[in-house]
């Protein structure tokens, strides 16, 4: 592997390949890519090179799925770059949305409110000082002490218990994720603690450089929802290439037949992936797609 300058990730230094990605280059039917820290640059833009690579992949008959922890309402940044089916997997697998139809929900894999309440109770006991937010199909509500990451002026402020004890009839909006933040425990320590204390109730992961956990229904993950979408299309894991950078990508990268950790990836992601590419700011996803398409063309011309 040709090595270049070191990139500093949230958990220390990692070395990024600047010229060629590590790992096998398959002939995939589907590309699954995370967004923040992976497809998007740090300024949250999609580079012209990446836009061109995504379009070229779709033109070559390779489906592209954006698979993200973002809620549907934050998908405008890539809405113009999804082709063909128009679908994206959001909220760490809790929702499949149609970006061609105004982010309409196609599938929802909700977190049961009673399970969310059990997580809240367990984390309040195991990690005093934890604050919570509740991500619904209709938006987000949060506790007064929850940090002002992206405050929504239409959000309701109340304790998590009050927010989750709302009516549970068919008119109640499904819960996509419970978010938990701690002001002192380090991110990986908080994740390990939460999984130990509350892992029996829900799936717990993280994608933020802060101590912010993302909690979904039991068995709900990027990997499990991507597997469902692929099964509907008759696509096997061996026909999927996946990209990611954070712990919420680990299951997806392990499931896909071929996977790439970004040059800026968390150590657990590097361990899970079958290959590595360059950092998000160096268009690491585009670099691999370009190589896939070049090698496919070479095989056809041989």
């Amino acid at each position: 592997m040709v090595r270049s300058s070191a990139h500093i990730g949230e958990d220390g230094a990692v070395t990024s390949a600047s010229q060629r990605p590590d790992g096998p280059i398959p002939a995939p039917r589907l590309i699954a890519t995370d967004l923040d820290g992976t497809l998007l640059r740090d300024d949250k833009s999609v580079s012209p090179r990446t836009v061109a690579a995504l379009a070229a992949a779709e033109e070559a008959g390779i489906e592209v799925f954006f698979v993200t922890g973002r809620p549907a309402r934050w998908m405008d940044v890539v809405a113009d770059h999804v082709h063909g089916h128009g679908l994206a997997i959001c909220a760490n697998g809790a929702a499949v949305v149609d970006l061609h139809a105004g982010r309409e929900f196609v599938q929802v894999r909700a977190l049961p409110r009673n399970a969310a309440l059990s997580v809240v109770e367990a984390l309040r006991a195991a990690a005093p000082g934890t604050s919570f937010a509740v991500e619904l199909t209709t938006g987000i509500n949060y506790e007064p002490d929850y940090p002002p990451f992206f405050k929504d002026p239409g959000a309701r402020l109340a304790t998590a218990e009050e927010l989750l004890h709302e009516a549970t009839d068919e008119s109640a909006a499904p819960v996509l994720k419970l978010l938990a933040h701690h002001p002192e425990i380090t991110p990986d320590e908080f994740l390990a603690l939460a999984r130990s204390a509350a892992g029996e109730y829900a799936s717990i992961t993280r994608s933020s450089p802060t101590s912010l956990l993302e909690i979904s229904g039991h068995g709900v993950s990027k990997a499990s929802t991507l597997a469902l979408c692929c099964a509907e299309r008759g696509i096997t894991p061996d026909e999927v290439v996946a990209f990611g950078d954070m712990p919420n990508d680990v299951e997806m990268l392990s499931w896909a037949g071929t996977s790439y950790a970004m040059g800026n990836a968390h150590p657990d992601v590097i361990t899970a992936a079958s290959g590595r590419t360059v950092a998000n700011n160096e268009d690491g996803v585009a670099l691999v797609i370009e190589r896939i398409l070049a090698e496919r063309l070479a095989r056809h011309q041989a």
Side-chain angles (χ1 to χ4, degrees):
M1 171 172 129
V2 180
R3 297 191 181 274
S4 69
S5 60
H7 296 272
I8 304 299
E10 60 162 320
D11 292 278
V14 295
T15 303
S16 168
S18 65
Q19 296 185 28
R20 288 176 63 86
D22 269 351
I25 298 295
R29 292 178 60 193
L30 187 143
I31 291 169
T33 178
D34 172 52
L35 295 183
D36 296 280
T38 300
L39 188 79
L40 304 182
R41 292 191 165 188
D42 286 349
D43 64 2
K44 306 305 179 186
S45 68
V46 186
S47 74
R49 180 182 183 184
T50 297
V51 170
L54 295 172
E58 292 277 6
E59 181 67 23
I62 303 171
E63 291 193 70
V64 176
F65 263 82
F66 300 134
V67 188
T68 178
R70 286 185 173 220
R73 65 181 184 280
W74 289 1
M75 294 298 289
D76 287 350
V77 65
V78 292
D80 292 337
H81 309 306
V82 62
H83 305 276
H85 55 76
L87 302 179
I89 296 171
C90 297
N92 289 330
V96 179
V97 302
D98 188 341
L99 298 182
H100 288 169
R103 299 170 297 184
E104 175 184 328
F105 287 95
V106 175
Q107 181 181 18
V108 173
R109 304 179 69 196
L111 170 64
R113 289 173 182 257
N114 60 348
L117 284 165
S118 295
V119 172
V120 170
E121 181 181 6
L123 290 187
R124 291 214 194 277
T130 300
S131 59
F132 296 93
V134 181
E135 179 74 47
L136 308 166
T137 54
T138 53
I140 191 168
N141 298 318
Y142 30 72
E143 296 188 316
D145 291 339
Y146 188 75
F149 294 118
F150 300 97
K151 289 296 188 184
D152 185 333
R156 177 185 169 195
L157 297 181
T159 67
E161 288 84 354
E162 291 175 300
L163 295 172
L164 292 166
H165 269 123
E166 292 176 342
T168 56
D169 60 22
E170 293 182 0
S171 66
V175 177
L176 296 178
K177 289 194 298 185
L178 179 68
L179 301 168
H181 178 267
H182 200 280
E184 297 175 355
I185 305 175
T186 65
D188 283 334
E189 289 174 338
F190 192 29
L191 177 58
L193 175 63
R195 284 176 170 173
S196 175
E200 65 183 292
Y201 307 118
S203 295
I204 306 173
T205 190
R206 75 178 188 88
S207 61
S208 170
T210 67
S211 295
L212 178 65
L213 304 183
E214 301 165 64
I215 300 155
S216 305
H218 224 307
V220 175
S221 68
K222 290 184 175 186
S224 62
T225 301
L226 177 62
L228 292 174
C229 292
C230 286
E232 292 174 353
R233 291 161 172 74
I235 295 174
T236 67
D238 287 344
E239 296 173 306
V240 176
V241 175
F243 299 87
D245 73 305
M246 288 295 283
N248 65 329
D249 297 313
V250 165
E251 292 94 339
M252 178 175 73
L253 298 181
S254 300
W255 176 83
T258 304
S259 56
Y260 289 88
M262 306 304 292
N264 49 290
H266 185 281
D268 289 351
V269 174
I270 295 170
T271 299
S274 59
R276 293 188 66 187
T277 186
V278 301
N280 61 317
N281 285 332
E282 300 174 84
D283 300 331
V285 174
L287 181 65
V288 175
I289 293 175
E290 290 165 357
R291 187 174 163 196
I292 288 171
L293 297 178
E295 296 199 4
R296 170 183 281 198
L297 179 61
R299 285 194 296 271
H300 288 169
Q301 293 178 339

